[in-house]
Amino acid sequence: MRWHDYPDREMMHLRLADKIAGQLADYLRRDGQATLSVPGGTTPGPVFDILSGVDLDWAKVNVVLNDERWVPEDSPRSNTRLLRDRLFRGPAAAARLIPLYQPGAATPEDALAALEEGLAPHLPVSVLLLGMGADMHTASLFPGADRLGEALAANAPPILPMRADAAGEPRVTLTAPVLKAAINIHVLITGADKRAAIEKAASLSPDLAPIRVVLDQADVHWAE
């Protein structure tokens, strides 16, 4: 993994947003479209705020979450709600959201085929931004999750439902092959605890530290 240390979080957010915007612009010039995959949670919010105002041809950018909780979009637990509040504003409002949640479906399994069909044309991911929990999970690949082994397998489908004690609600997550196949991979973490966790993850197997599946290819962005 390639480390990028920053003197403070503001500088990290600015430089990471600039890097992501530049990579998206390169793909738009070359391919005419790009796919951006991003996490939920509060940590990437400032990056979304910055990206939302960047002058890109956002109408040709497809955005998919790393994972989504199986909750309605108006729930405060919805990652989609976070994206609409923080990223899909200003110029970036023209981007296309590729959903990982289907209203009216009682469980992820009920909608999985349709969600996978909607995602498939937009792979591989051009730019992938991941977060990581202190337990070394990323997306909804949690240590001990019910289908983690399936999601880590080389022949895993692009998305899978996932349930874990630490996850709360059932979720839908991108699987390891999709994460590893991304062209540009960034991991955003803050604080000494998560730095120690990701350094530990480098010597563990993916079933114990799921973030491990991308570390050999990732740029890790850290600030205290």
Side-chain angles (χ1 to χ4, degrees), residues 2 4 16-17 19-25 27 34-40 44 47-48 51 61-68 83 87 100 119 122-132 137-141 158-159 173-189 210-221:
R2 297 173 293 273
H4 303 270
L16 178 54
K19 184 68 172 178
I20 291 171
Q23 290 173 339
L24 289 174
Y27 276 88
T35 300
L36 170 65
S37 181
V38 296
V47 177
F48 299 159
L51 282 174
V61 177
N62 305 291
V63 180
V64 62
L65 285 157
N66 306 159
D67 64 325
E68 179 59 288
L83 284 191
L87 179 61
L100 291 185
L119 173 63
H122 308 294
L123 298 177
V125 172
S126 311
V127 184
L128 172 65
L129 176 61
L130 290 167
M132 185 198 73
H137 86 268
T138 194
S140 283
L141 305 179
I159 55 174
T173 184
L174 301 183
T175 60
V178 171
L179 301 182
K180 292 172 67 174
I183 310 303
N184 300 280
I185 303 174
H186 302 279
V187 179
L188 171 62
I189 56 172
I211 189 67
R212 181 70 183 82
V213 300
V214 299
L215 287 187
D216 289 346
Q217 306 150 259
D219 286 274
V220 179
H221 303 264

Coordinates of all heavy atoms in Angstrom, one line a residue, residues 2 4 16-17 19-25 27 34-40 44 47-48 51 61-68 83 87 100 119 122-132 137-141 158-159 173-189 210-221:
R2 N 0.4 2.3 -0.6 CA 1.1 3.6 -0.6 C 0.5 4.5 0.4 O -0.7 4.9 0.3 CB 1.0 4.1 -2.1 CG 1.6 3.2 -3.1 CD 1.4 3.7 -4.5 NE 0.0 3.6 -4.9 CZ -0.6 2.5 -5.4 NH1 0.2 1.4 -5.6 NH2 -1.9 2.4 -5.7
H4 N -0.2 8.1 2.3 CA -0.2 9.5 2.2 C -0.6 10.1 3.5 O -1.7 10.0 3.9 CB -1.2 9.9 1.1 CG -0.9 9.3 -0.2 ND1 -0.1 9.8 -1.2 CD2 -1.4 8.1 -0.8 CE1 -0.1 9.0 -2.3 NE2 -0.8 8.0 -2.0
L16 N -7.4 14.8 -1.5 CA -8.0 13.5 -1.9 C -9.1 13.9 -2.9 O -9.2 13.2 -4.0 CB -8.6 12.8 -0.8 CG -9.3 11.5 -1.1 CD1 -8.5 10.5 -1.9 CD2 -9.7 10.8 0.2
A17 N -9.9 14.9 -2.7 CA -11.0 15.2 -3.6 C -10.4 15.7 -5.0 O -10.9 15.3 -6.0 CB -11.8 16.4 -3.0
K19 N -7.5 14.6 -6.2 CA -7.0 13.4 -6.9 C -8.1 12.6 -7.5 O -8.0 12.2 -8.7 CB -6.3 12.5 -5.8 CG -5.6 11.3 -6.4 CD -4.5 11.7 -7.3 CE -3.7 10.5 -7.7 NZ -2.5 10.8 -8.6
I20 N -9.2 12.4 -6.8 CA -10.4 11.7 -7.3 C -10.9 12.4 -8.6 O -11.2 11.8 -9.6 CB -11.5 11.5 -6.3 CG1 -11.0 10.5 -5.2 CG2 -12.8 11.0 -6.9 CD1 -11.9 10.4 -4.0
A21 N -11.1 13.7 -8.5 CA -11.6 14.5 -9.6 C -10.7 14.4 -10.8 O -11.2 14.2 -11.9 CB -11.8 16.0 -9.2
G22 N -9.4 14.4 -10.6 CA -8.5 14.3 -11.7 C -8.6 12.9 -12.4 O -8.6 12.8 -13.6
Q23 N -8.7 11.9 -11.6 CA -8.8 10.5 -12.1 C -10.1 10.4 -12.9 O -10.2 9.8 -14.0 CB -8.7 9.5 -11.0 CG -7.3 9.4 -10.5 CD -7.1 8.5 -9.3 OE1 -8.1 8.3 -8.6 NE2 -5.9 8.1 -9.0
L24 N -11.2 10.9 -12.3 CA -12.5 10.8 -13.1 C -12.4 11.6 -14.4 O -12.9 11.1 -15.4 CB -13.6 11.4 -12.2 CG -14.1 10.6 -11.0 CD1 -15.1 11.4 -10.2 CD2 -14.7 9.3 -11.4
A25 N -11.8 12.8 -14.4 CA -11.6 13.5 -15.6 C -10.9 12.8 -16.7 O -11.2 12.8 -17.9 CB -11.0 14.9 -15.3
Y27 N -10.7 9.5 -17.0 CA -11.6 8.5 -17.6 C -12.7 9.0 -18.5 O -13.0 8.4 -19.5 CB -12.2 7.6 -16.5 CG -11.2 6.5 -16.0 CD1 -10.3 6.8 -15.0 CD2 -11.2 5.3 -16.7 CE1 -9.4 5.8 -14.7 CE2 -10.3 4.3 -16.3 CZ -9.4 4.6 -15.3 OH -8.4 3.7 -14.9
A34 N -17.4 7.3 -16.6 CA -16.6 6.8 -15.4 C -17.6 6.3 -14.3 O -18.7 6.7 -14.2 CB -15.7 7.9 -14.9
T35 N -17.1 5.4 -13.5 CA -17.8 4.9 -12.4 C -17.0 5.2 -11.1 O -15.9 4.9 -11.0 CB -18.0 3.4 -12.5 OG1 -18.8 3.1 -13.6 CG2 -18.8 2.9 -11.2
L36 N -17.7 5.9 -10.2 CA -17.1 6.2 -8.9 C -17.9 5.4 -7.8 O -19.1 5.5 -7.8 CB -17.3 7.7 -8.7 CG -17.0 8.3 -7.3 CD1 -15.5 8.1 -6.9 CD2 -17.4 9.7 -7.1
S37 N -17.1 4.7 -7.0 CA -17.8 4.0 -5.8 C -17.3 4.6 -4.5 O -16.0 4.8 -4.4 CB -17.4 2.5 -5.9 OG -18.0 1.8 -4.8
V38 N -18.2 4.9 -3.6 CA -17.9 5.6 -2.4 C -18.5 5.0 -1.2 O -19.5 4.3 -1.3 CB -18.3 7.1 -2.5 CG1 -17.5 7.8 -3.6 CG2 -19.8 7.2 -2.7
P39 N -18.0 5.3 0.0 CA -18.6 4.7 1.2 C -19.6 5.6 1.8 O -19.7 6.8 1.4 CB -17.4 4.6 2.2 CG -16.5 5.8 1.8 CD -16.7 5.9 0.3
G40 N -20.4 5.1 2.8 CA -21.2 6.0 3.6 C -20.4 6.4 4.8 O -19.2 6.5 4.8
P44 N -16.1 10.5 5.0 CA -15.9 11.0 3.6 C -16.8 12.2 3.3 O -16.7 12.8 2.2 CB -16.3 9.8 2.7 CG -17.4 9.1 3.5 CD -16.9 9.2 4.9
V47 N -15.1 15.3 1.8 CA -14.7 15.0 0.4 C -15.8 15.1 -0.6 O -15.7 15.7 -1.7 CB -14.0 13.6 0.3 CG1 -13.6 13.2 -1.1 CG2 -12.8 13.5 1.2
F48 N -17.0 14.6 -0.2 CA -18.2 14.8 -1.1 C -18.5 16.2 -1.2 O -18.9 16.7 -2.4 CB -19.4 14.0 -0.5 CG -19.2 12.5 -0.3 CD1 -20.0 11.8 0.6 CD2 -18.3 11.9 -1.0 CE1 -19.9 10.5 0.8 CE2 -18.1 10.5 -0.9 CZ -18.9 9.8 0.0
L51 N -16.1 17.6 -3.8 CA -16.4 17.0 -5.2 C -17.7 17.6 -5.8 O -17.7 17.8 -7.0 CB -16.5 15.5 -5.1 CG -15.2 14.7 -5.0 CD1 -15.4 13.3 -4.7 CD2 -14.3 14.9 -6.2
V61 N -20.9 10.4 -15.2 CA -20.4 9.7 -14.0 C -21.4 8.9 -13.3 O -22.5 9.4 -13.0 CB -19.7 10.7 -13.0 CG1 -19.2 10.0 -11.8 CG2 -18.6 11.5 -13.7
N62 N -21.2 7.6 -13.2 CA -22.1 6.7 -12.5 C -21.5 6.5 -11.1 O -20.3 6.2 -10.9 CB -22.2 5.4 -13.2 CG -22.6 5.5 -14.6 OD1 -23.7 5.9 -14.9 ND2 -21.6 5.3 -15.6
V63 N -22.4 6.7 -10.1 CA -21.9 6.6 -8.7 C -22.6 5.4 -8.0 O -23.9 5.3 -8.1 CB -22.3 7.9 -7.9 CG1 -21.8 7.8 -6.5 CG2 -21.6 9.1 -8.6
V64 N -21.9 4.6 -7.4 CA -22.4 3.5 -6.7 C -21.8 3.4 -5.3 O -20.6 3.7 -5.1 CB -22.2 2.1 -7.4 CG1 -20.8 1.8 -7.6 CG2 -23.0 1.0 -6.7
L65 N -22.6 3.1 -4.3 CA -22.0 3.0 -2.9 C -21.2 1.7 -2.8 O -21.5 0.7 -3.5 CB -23.2 3.0 -1.9 CG -23.8 4.3 -1.6 CD1 -25.3 4.1 -1.1 CD2 -23.0 5.1 -0.6
N66 N -20.3 1.7 -1.9 CA -19.6 0.4 -1.5 C -20.6 -0.6 -1.0 O -20.4 -1.8 -1.2 CB -18.5 0.7 -0.5 CG -17.5 1.7 -0.8 OD1 -16.8 2.2 0.1 ND2 -17.3 2.1 -2.1
D67 N -21.5 0.0 -0.2 CA -22.5 -0.9 0.5 C -23.7 0.0 0.9 O -23.6 1.2 1.0 CB -21.9 -1.6 1.7 CG -21.5 -0.7 2.8 OD1 -21.0 0.5 2.4 OD2 -21.6 -1.0 3.9
E68 N -24.8 -0.7 1.1 CA -26.0 0.1 1.6 C -26.7 -0.8 2.6 O -26.8 -2.0 2.5 CB -26.9 0.4 0.4 CG -28.2 1.1 0.8 CD -28.0 2.5 1.5 OE1 -27.5 2.4 2.7 OE2 -28.2 3.5 0.9
L83 N -25.4 10.5 0.5 CA -24.9 10.9 -0.8 C -25.8 12.1 -1.4 O -25.3 13.0 -2.0 CB -25.0 9.8 -1.8 CG -23.9 8.7 -1.7 CD1 -23.9 7.8 -2.9 CD2 -22.5 9.4 -1.6
L87 N -23.1 14.8 -1.8 CA -22.5 14.7 -3.1 C -23.4 15.2 -4.2 O -22.9 15.9 -5.1 CB -22.0 13.3 -3.3 CG -21.3 13.0 -4.7 CD1 -20.0 13.9 -4.8 CD2 -21.0 11.5 -4.9
L100 N -28.2 0.4 -4.7 CA -28.0 -0.9 -4.0 C -29.2 -1.1 -3.0 O -29.0 -2.0 -2.1 CB -26.7 -0.9 -3.2 CG -25.4 -0.9 -4.1 CD1 -24.2 -1.1 -3.2 CD2 -25.4 -2.0 -5.1
L119 N -26.1 -2.8 -11.9 CA -24.7 -2.4 -11.7 C -23.8 -2.9 -12.8 O -22.8 -2.3 -13.1 CB -24.3 -3.0 -10.3 CG -22.8 -2.9 -10.0 CD1 -22.4 -1.5 -9.8 CD2 -22.5 -3.7 -8.7
H122 N -21.7 -1.0 -15.4 CA -20.8 0.1 -15.0 C -19.6 -0.4 -14.3 O -18.9 0.4 -13.6 CB -21.7 1.0 -14.1 CG -22.9 1.4 -14.7 ND1 -23.0 2.3 -15.8 CD2 -24.2 1.1 -14.4 CE1 -24.2 2.4 -16.2 NE2 -25.0 1.7 -15.3
L123 N -19.2 -1.6 -14.5 CA -18.0 -2.2 -13.9 C -17.0 -2.4 -15.0 O -17.4 -2.6 -16.2 CB -18.3 -3.5 -13.3 CG -19.3 -3.5 -12.1 CD1 -19.5 -4.9 -11.5 CD2 -18.7 -2.6 -10.9
P124 N -15.7 -2.3 -14.8 CA -15.1 -2.1 -13.4 C -15.2 -0.7 -12.9 O -15.5 0.2 -13.7 CB -13.6 -2.5 -13.7 CG -13.4 -2.1 -15.1 CD -14.7 -2.5 -15.8
V125 N -15.1 -0.5 -11.7 CA -15.1 0.8 -11.0 C -13.8 1.6 -11.5 O -12.7 1.0 -11.4 CB -15.1 0.7 -9.5 CG1 -15.0 2.0 -8.8 CG2 -16.5 0.0 -9.1
S126 N -14.0 2.8 -11.9 CA -12.9 3.6 -12.3 C -12.1 4.1 -11.1 O -10.9 4.1 -11.1 CB -13.4 4.8 -13.2 OG -14.3 4.4 -14.2
V127 N -12.9 4.7 -10.1 CA -12.3 5.2 -8.9 C -13.1 4.7 -7.7 O -14.3 4.9 -7.6 CB -12.3 6.8 -8.9 CG1 -11.5 7.3 -7.7 CG2 -11.6 7.3 -10.2
L128 N -12.4 4.1 -6.8 CA -13.0 3.5 -5.6 C -12.4 4.2 -4.4 O -11.2 4.2 -4.2 CB -12.6 2.0 -5.6 CG -13.0 1.2 -4.3 CD1 -14.5 1.1 -4.1 CD2 -12.4 -0.2 -4.4
L129 N -13.3 4.7 -3.6 CA -13.0 5.3 -2.3 C -13.6 4.4 -1.2 O -14.8 4.2 -1.2 CB -13.5 6.7 -2.2 CG -13.3 7.4 -0.8 CD1 -11.8 7.5 -0.5 CD2 -14.0 8.7 -0.8
L130 N -12.8 3.9 -0.3 CA -13.2 3.0 0.7 C -12.9 3.7 2.1 O -11.9 4.4 2.2 CB -12.5 1.7 0.7 CG -12.8 0.7 -0.5 CD1 -11.8 -0.4 -0.5 CD2 -14.2 0.2 -0.3
G131 N -13.7 3.3 3.1 CA -13.4 3.6 4.5 C -13.0 2.3 5.1 O -13.0 1.2 4.5
M132 N -12.7 2.3 6.4 CA -12.4 1.1 7.2 C -12.8 1.3 8.6 O -12.6 2.4 9.2 CB -10.9 0.8 7.1 CG -10.5 -0.5 7.8 SD -8.8 -0.6 8.2 CE -8.6 0.5 9.5
H137 N -13.0 -3.9 8.9 CA -14.0 -4.2 7.8 C -14.0 -3.0 6.8 O -13.5 -1.9 7.2 CB -15.4 -4.4 8.4 CG -16.2 -3.1 8.6 ND1 -16.2 -2.4 9.7 CD2 -17.0 -2.4 7.7 CE1 -17.0 -1.3 9.6 NE2 -17.5 -1.3 8.4
T138 N -14.4 -3.3 5.6 CA -14.6 -2.3 4.6 C -15.8 -2.7 3.8 O -16.2 -3.9 3.7 CB -13.3 -2.2 3.7 OG1 -13.4 -1.0 3.0 CG2 -13.2 -3.3 2.7
A139 N -16.5 -1.7 3.2 CA -17.8 -1.9 2.7 C -18.6 -2.6 3.7 O -18.6 -2.2 4.9 CB -17.7 -2.7 1.3
S140 N -19.3 -3.7 3.4 CA -20.0 -4.4 4.5 C -19.4 -5.8 4.6 O -20.0 -6.8 4.9 CB -21.5 -4.6 4.2 OG -22.1 -3.4 4.6
L141 N -18.1 -5.9 4.3 CA -17.3 -7.1 4.5 C -16.8 -7.1 6.0 O -15.7 -6.6 6.2 CB -16.2 -7.2 3.5 CG -16.5 -7.1 2.0 CD1 -15.3 -7.1 1.2 CD2 -17.6 -8.1 1.6
P158 N -21.0 -9.8 -8.2 CA -20.6 -8.4 -7.9 C -21.1 -7.9 -6.5 O -20.4 -7.1 -5.9 CB -21.2 -7.6 -9.0 CG -21.3 -8.6 -10.1 CD -21.6 -9.9 -9.5
I159 N -22.3 -8.3 -6.2 CA -22.9 -7.9 -4.9 C -23.5 -9.1 -4.2 O -23.9 -10.1 -4.8 CB -24.0 -6.8 -5.1 CG1 -25.1 -7.3 -6.1 CG2 -23.4 -5.5 -5.6 CD1 -26.3 -6.3 -6.2
T173 N -23.6 -5.4 -0.3 CA -22.2 -4.9 -0.4 C -21.6 -5.3 -1.7 O -21.9 -6.4 -2.3 CB -21.4 -5.5 0.8 OG1 -20.1 -4.9 0.7 CG2 -21.3 -7.0 0.7
L174 N -20.7 -4.5 -2.2 CA -19.8 -4.9 -3.3 C -18.9 -6.0 -2.7 O -18.5 -6.0 -1.5 CB -18.9 -3.8 -3.8 CG -19.7 -2.5 -4.3 CD1 -18.6 -1.5 -4.9 CD2 -20.6 -2.9 -5.5
T175 N -18.5 -7.0 -3.5 CA -17.7 -8.1 -3.1 C -16.2 -7.9 -3.4 O -15.9 -6.9 -4.1 CB -18.2 -9.4 -3.7 OG1 -18.1 -9.3 -5.2 CG2 -19.6 -9.7 -3.3
A176 N -15.4 -8.8 -2.9 CA -14.0 -8.6 -3.0 C -13.5 -8.5 -4.5 O -12.7 -7.6 -4.8 CB -13.2 -9.7 -2.3
P177 N -14.0 -9.3 -5.4 CA -13.5 -9.2 -6.8 C -13.8 -7.8 -7.4 O -13.0 -7.3 -8.2 CB -14.3 -10.3 -7.5 CG -14.6 -11.3 -6.5 CD -14.9 -10.5 -5.2
V178 N -14.9 -7.2 -7.1 CA -15.2 -5.9 -7.6 C -14.3 -4.9 -7.0 O -13.8 -4.0 -7.7 CB -16.7 -5.5 -7.3 CG1 -17.0 -4.1 -7.7 CG2 -17.6 -6.4 -8.1
L179 N -14.1 -4.9 -5.7 CA -13.2 -4.0 -5.1 C -11.8 -4.1 -5.6 O -11.1 -3.1 -6.0 CB -13.1 -4.2 -3.5 CG -14.5 -4.1 -2.8 CD1 -14.3 -4.3 -1.3 CD2 -15.2 -2.8 -3.1
K180 N -11.3 -5.3 -5.8 CA -9.9 -5.5 -6.3 C -9.7 -5.1 -7.7 O -8.6 -4.8 -8.1 CB -9.5 -7.0 -6.1 CG -9.4 -7.4 -4.6 CD -9.2 -8.9 -4.5 CE -7.9 -9.4 -5.1 NZ -7.6 -10.8 -4.8
A181 N -10.8 -5.2 -8.5 CA -10.7 -4.9 -9.9 C -10.8 -3.4 -10.2 O -10.6 -3.0 -11.4 CB -11.9 -5.6 -10.7
A182 N -11.1 -2.6 -9.2 CA -11.2 -1.1 -9.4 C -9.8 -0.6 -9.9 O -8.8 -1.1 -9.5 CB -11.5 -0.4 -8.1
I183 N -9.9 0.3 -10.8 CA -8.7 0.8 -11.5 C -7.8 1.7 -10.5 O -6.6 1.6 -10.5 CB -9.0 1.6 -12.7 CG1 -10.0 0.8 -13.6 CG2 -7.8 2.0 -13.5 CD1 -9.5 -0.5 -14.0
N184 N -8.5 2.5 -9.8 CA -7.8 3.4 -8.8 C -8.5 3.2 -7.4 O -9.7 3.3 -7.3 CB -7.9 4.9 -9.2 CG -7.3 5.2 -10.5 OD1 -6.1 5.3 -10.6 ND2 -8.1 5.3 -11.6
I185 N -7.7 2.8 -6.4 CA -8.3 2.5 -5.1 C -7.7 3.4 -4.1 O -6.5 3.6 -3.9 CB -8.0 1.0 -4.7 CG1 -8.5 0.1 -5.8 CG2 -8.5 0.7 -3.4 CD1 -8.1 -1.4 -5.6
H186 N -8.6 4.1 -3.3 CA -8.2 5.0 -2.2 C -8.9 4.5 -0.9 O -10.1 4.2 -1.0 CB -8.6 6.4 -2.5 CG -8.0 7.0 -3.8 ND1 -6.8 7.5 -3.9 CD2 -8.6 7.1 -5.0 CE1 -6.5 7.9 -5.1 NE2 -7.6 7.7 -5.8
V187 N -8.1 4.5 0.1 CA -8.7 4.2 1.5 C -8.5 5.4 2.3 O -7.4 6.0 2.4 CB -8.0 3.0 2.1 CG1 -8.6 2.7 3.5 CG2 -8.1 1.8 1.2
L188 N -9.6 5.9 2.9 CA -9.6 7.1 3.8 C -9.8 6.7 5.2 O -10.8 6.1 5.6 CB -10.7 8.0 3.3 CG -11.0 9.3 4.2 CD1 -9.8 10.2 4.2 CD2 -12.2 10.0 3.6
I189 N -8.8 7.1 6.1 CA -8.9 6.8 7.5 C -8.4 7.9 8.3 O -7.5 8.7 7.8 CB -8.1 5.5 7.9 CG1 -6.7 5.5 7.5 CG2 -8.8 4.2 7.3 CD1 -5.8 4.4 8.1
P210 N -10.9 -7.9 6.4 CA -11.3 -7.8 5.0 C -10.7 -6.6 4.2 O -10.6 -6.8 3.0 CB -12.9 -7.6 5.2 CG -13.2 -8.3 6.4 CD -12.0 -8.1 7.3
I211 N -10.3 -5.6 4.8 CA -9.6 -4.5 4.1 C -8.4 -5.0 3.4 O -7.9 -4.4 2.4 CB -9.2 -3.3 5.1 CG1 -8.8 -2.1 4.3 CG2 -8.2 -3.8 6.1 CD1 -9.8 -1.4 3.5
R212 N -7.9 -6.1 3.8 CA -6.6 -6.7 3.3 C -6.8 -7.0 1.8 O -5.8 -6.9 1.1 CB -6.3 -8.0 4.0 CG -5.0 -8.7 3.5 CD -3.8 -7.9 3.9 NE -2.6 -8.4 3.4 CZ -2.1 -8.3 2.2 NH1 -2.8 -7.5 1.3 NH2 -0.9 -8.8 1.8
V213 N -8.0 -7.2 1.3 CA -8.2 -7.6 -0.1 C -7.7 -6.5 -1.1 O -7.4 -6.8 -2.2 CB -9.6 -8.0 -0.4 CG1 -10.0 -9.1 0.4 CG2 -10.6 -6.8 -0.3
V214 N -7.6 -5.2 -0.6 CA -7.3 -4.1 -1.5 C -5.9 -3.5 -1.2 O -5.4 -2.6 -2.0 CB -8.3 -3.0 -1.6 CG1 -9.7 -3.6 -2.1 CG2 -8.5 -2.3 -0.2
L215 N -5.3 -3.8 -0.1 CA -4.2 -3.1 0.4 C -3.0 -3.1 -0.6 O -2.3 -2.1 -0.7 CB -3.8 -3.5 1.8 CG -4.7 -3.2 2.9 CD1 -4.0 -3.5 4.3 CD2 -5.0 -1.7 2.9
D216 N -2.8 -4.1 -1.3 CA -1.6 -4.2 -2.2 C -1.7 -3.2 -3.3 O -0.7 -2.8 -3.9 CB -1.4 -5.6 -2.7 CG -1.0 -6.6 -1.7 OD1 -0.5 -6.2 -0.6 OD2 -1.0 -7.8 -2.0
Q217 N -3.0 -2.8 -3.6 CA -3.2 -1.9 -4.7 C -3.6 -0.5 -4.3 O -3.8 0.4 -5.1 CB -4.3 -2.4 -5.6 CG -4.1 -3.8 -6.1 CD -5.4 -4.6 -6.3 OE1 -5.8 -5.4 -5.4 NE2 -6.1 -4.3 -7.4
A218 N -3.8 -0.2 -3.0 CA -4.4 1.0 -2.5 C -3.5 2.1 -2.2 O -2.4 1.9 -1.7 CB -5.3 0.6 -1.3
D219 N -4.0 3.3 -2.4 CA -3.4 4.5 -1.8 C -4.2 4.8 -0.5 O -5.4 5.0 -0.5 CB -3.6 5.7 -2.7 CG -2.6 5.6 -3.9 OD1 -1.5 6.1 -3.8 OD2 -3.0 5.1 -5.0
V220 N -3.5 4.8 0.6 CA -4.1 5.0 1.9 C -3.8 6.5 2.4 O -2.7 6.9 2.4 CB -3.5 4.0 3.0 CG1 -4.2 4.3 4.4 CG2 -3.8 2.6 2.6
H221 N -4.9 7.2 2.6 CA -4.9 8.6 3.0 C -5.2 8.7 4.5 O -6.3 8.3 4.9 CB -5.8 9.4 2.2 CG -5.6 9.2 0.7 ND1 -4.9 10.1 -0.1 CD2 -6.0 8.2 -0.2 CE1 -4.9 9.7 -1.3 NE2 -5.5 8.6 -1.4

